[in-house]
Amino acid sequence: MMLAAELTLAGIDVVVIERRPNQDLESPRSRGLHARTIEVLDQRGIADRFLAAGSTAQVQAFAGIPLDISDFPTRHNYGLALVQSDLERIMAGWIDELGVRVLRERDVTTFTQDQDHVEVGCSDGSRLHADWLVGCDGSHSTVRKTAGIDFAGWDPTICWITAEVEMREQPRFGLRGGGGIGPA
């Protein structure tokens, strides 16, 4: 969505093809934003939208040792606890304001390209003609795989666990405890 917004702001007509029917996620994902990401959102004049929905915290750590970044030379010298579903909802609102077209409940299934354009086939049978095609559909990207572009990197050396639990009462939102990332 950020790329769609940036291209739209540069005067390029953008269409997003999205497999989901809405911004709902099937499982928890990202739990926050780092200082640099907040700075980029601030450069676009939309950081306040995210800050209003999240909770700021000192979240930087190295090897489990908390690092205080409150004296970093930035207006946003903190992290922001914000679940990905909220982040996506806010971004979707912004690209909607910008006039980005989002075609939902379809996948890119095929594409062919020549010197002048790309023809994109979608799972609903529709076809689109574009000057460019960008694959922002993750490590299992149909676009990237079809184009023969590797997903370079290394096997993970650290495993973080995300769990879905049922609780008797609503916990306080934010980052805290464990590994020195926030107040206990």
Side-chain angles (χ1 to χ4, degrees), residues 33 41 44-54 80 82 86-87 89-98:
L33 302 174
L41 296 171
R44 283 294 175 218
I46 60 169
D48 289 346
R49 301 174 190 209
F50 296 88
L51 294 171
L80 182 68
L82 182 69
D86 288 338
L87 182 139
R89 177 183 48 76
I90 296 165
M91 287 295 292
W94 183 44
I95 67 169
D96 186 53
E97 290 170 19
L98 294 174

Side-chain angles (χ1 to χ4, degrees), residues 17-19 104-110 121-126:
I17 301 170
E18 171 60 53
R19 75 175 49 101
R104 295 195 169 278
E105 297 187 83
R106 63 190 82 185
D107 291 301
V108 171
T109 55
T110 63
C122 297
S123 59
D124 66 348
S126 64

Side-chain angles (χ1 to χ4, degrees), residues 31 53 55 81 83 86 163-177 183-184:
R31 304 291 295 174
S55 173
V83 294
D86 288 338
E164 291 187 44
V165 299
E166 290 185 26
M167 302 188 72
R168 290 188 188 106
E169 56 190 58
Q170 183 72 28
R172 179 175 56 93
F173 182 75
L175 302 171
R176 60 194 164 276

